[in-house]
Amino acid sequence: MSSAEVTAAAKPADAPEHCPGTASESAGKASACAGCPNQQICATGPKGPDPSIALVKEKLREVRNKVLVLSGKGGVGKSTVTALLSRAMAQHNPDRNFGVLDIDICGPSQPRVLGVLGEQVHQSGSGWSPVYIEDNLSLMSIGFLLGSPDDAIIWRGPKKNGMIRQFLTEVDWGQLDYLVLDTPPGTSDEHLSAATFLKETDGRWGAVLVTTPQEVALLDVRKEITFCKKMAIPVVGVVENMSVFVCPKCTAESDIFPAKTGGAERMCADMEVRYLGKLPLDPRLAKCCDEGKDFLAEHAGSPTVTALKGIVARVQEFFEA
């Protein structure tokens, strides 16, 4: 990576136009830094590339593919899609290994969704051992480190970033074919940290974006796509979650979130990213997530499971083409 590329990658998202970058010797001291909210941090922080980047690269050398599940909007079902994707891939490929990393530091949902709430993480000489959901599917989340599920994480950005760094450098994942990262909504600290670390690792990586059909969600997902392009994050594609409600009794369809502007498919065409497909809203899925049950096994005939198979195939096609 050239010095110019390092500087560009080190620029904060809210930096002024001529920001020298946090790795520069003039960080926080150049004329362009005047008035920047990050000026004091840049002026006093360590210079040069983050040494943790090389450590993450070494620790993840046996992880072939990394999948970031993103969305600019909260409440669109990122955690649900993360759980569905990882479970489906693990079940369809029993000879492969899969991991889930929950980097939603303030709202960790995966321990409950994947049915391992209350489990504890064990530490050995090789690092933290993730909790196993199935023989070939493991999970790491800050939820395992809390004294109670009701405990609040009240941290500023640097401490969140440090936790993500620990997850990427101190968890003993072993050999993985896919590591799926569940993220919080937005384009902030957690996303910047993950992107900065993962872009230097071996193997392939990319982002699956999740939205719902209505314009209020699409507005923020467009921002997330722009974020990915600015940060050079490969976009695997977009999943439209909760596209229609399918009645479990009569299978009649209803538009709960009307796609008045064309939904995710139109947005993908406009922004030149791949449309991965739509997942119908099934109330039994919400119940399974609350109870930590495997929706794929409990309701194999659901239209949501049928649609998921096509989405999983397209995601794996991206990574294994």
Side-chain angles (χ1 to χ4, degrees):
M1 200 174 190
S2 69
S3 59
E5 288 173 319
V6 169
T7 300
K11 287 186 181 181
D14 56 351
E17 183 179 357
H18 300 292
C19 170
T22 57
S24 169
E25 289 298 325
S26 59
K29 304 170 185 175
S31 57
C33 300
C36 175
N38 303 304
Q39 183 176 12
Q40 184 62 27
I41 297 172
C42 292
T44 58
K47 304 298 185 290
D50 185 346
S52 298
I53 293 175
L55 188 58
V56 170
K57 181 177 180 179
E58 170 62 22
K59 194 68 179 182
L60 298 184
R61 69 187 185 281
E62 292 189 282
V63 178
R64 288 179 54 229
N65 303 298
K66 281 76 64 177
V67 186
L68 280 166
V69 180
L70 304 174
S71 179
K73 193 69 174 174
V76 298
K78 288 182 304 301
S79 295
T80 301
V81 170
T82 298
L84 288 174
L85 272 178
S86 56
R87 277 195 188 274
M89 289 194 294
Q91 290 176 17
H92 296 162
N93 303 275
D95 56 334
R96 294 185 173 191
N97 295 314
F98 300 85
V100 176
L101 177 56
D102 188 355
I103 61 169
D104 190 344
I105 303 299
C106 294
S109 302
Q110 291 303 326
R112 176 175 291 280
V113 174
L114 289 173
V116 286
L117 194 66
E119 293 287 337
Q120 292 188 334
V121 172
H122 300 286
Q123 194 158 16
S124 66
S126 56
W128 285 331
S129 297
V131 172
Y132 277 81
I133 317 301
E134 306 289 349
D135 288 343
N136 65 335
L137 176 61
S138 57
L139 167 67
M140 185 62 196
S141 169
I142 197 172
F144 296 133
L145 308 179
L146 302 178
S148 161
D150 297 329
D151 286 351
I153 302 293
I154 309 172
W155 289 352
R156 296 186 187 275
K159 199 162 185 181
K160 291 182 185 179
N161 297 343
M163 189 77 255
I164 292 169
R165 186 188 306 113
Q166 273 191 279
F167 281 154
L168 292 173
T169 58
E170 297 183 20
V171 176
D172 183 18
W173 294 108
Q175 186 276 326
L176 289 181
D177 291 279
Y178 285 86
L179 178 63
V180 185
L181 292 87
D182 186 18
T183 69
T187 55
S188 192
D189 296 296
E190 295 92 335
H191 314 83
L192 289 168
S193 291
T196 300
F197 290 131
L198 293 182
K199 70 170 54 177
E200 298 301 325
T201 59
D202 297 325
R204 300 196 67 178
W205 73 301
V208 171
L209 283 79
V210 182
T211 187
T212 45
Q214 77 276 30
E215 182 60 25
V216 71
L218 296 171
L219 279 170
D220 289 337
V221 177
R222 290 188 187 96
K223 295 181 179 70
E224 195 79 31
I225 293 172
T226 302
F227 165 79
C228 288
K229 291 178 177 178
K230 286 186 174 181
M231 291 295 295
I233 301 172
V235 176
V236 179
V238 178
V239 174
E240 184 178 84
N241 193 29
M242 298 182 267
S243 58
V244 294
F245 169 75
V246 179
C247 176
K249 300 294 184 183
C250 67
T251 69
E253 295 186 357
S254 303
D255 288 329
I256 304 297
F257 304 110
K260 293 185 176 178
T261 58
E265 192 167 8
R266 172 66 182 274
M267 178 192 69
C268 288
D270 291 344
M271 300 199 72
E272 299 181 335
V273 296
R274 189 176 188 187
Y275 176 63
L276 295 174
K278 58 179 68 176
L279 289 173
L281 175 60
D282 188 329
R284 297 171 297 182
L285 174 56
K287 188 171 186 291
C288 282
C289 288
D290 281 346
E291 296 175 355
K293 293 181 178 178
D294 181 0
F295 177 73
L296 307 181
E298 297 274 329
H299 304 286
S302 167
T304 303
V305 175
T306 303
L308 178 65
K309 291 176 182 176
I311 291 170
V312 168
R314 293 177 199 108
V315 170
Q316 291 190 293
E317 179 185 288
F318 173 90
F319 286 99
E320 299 178 24

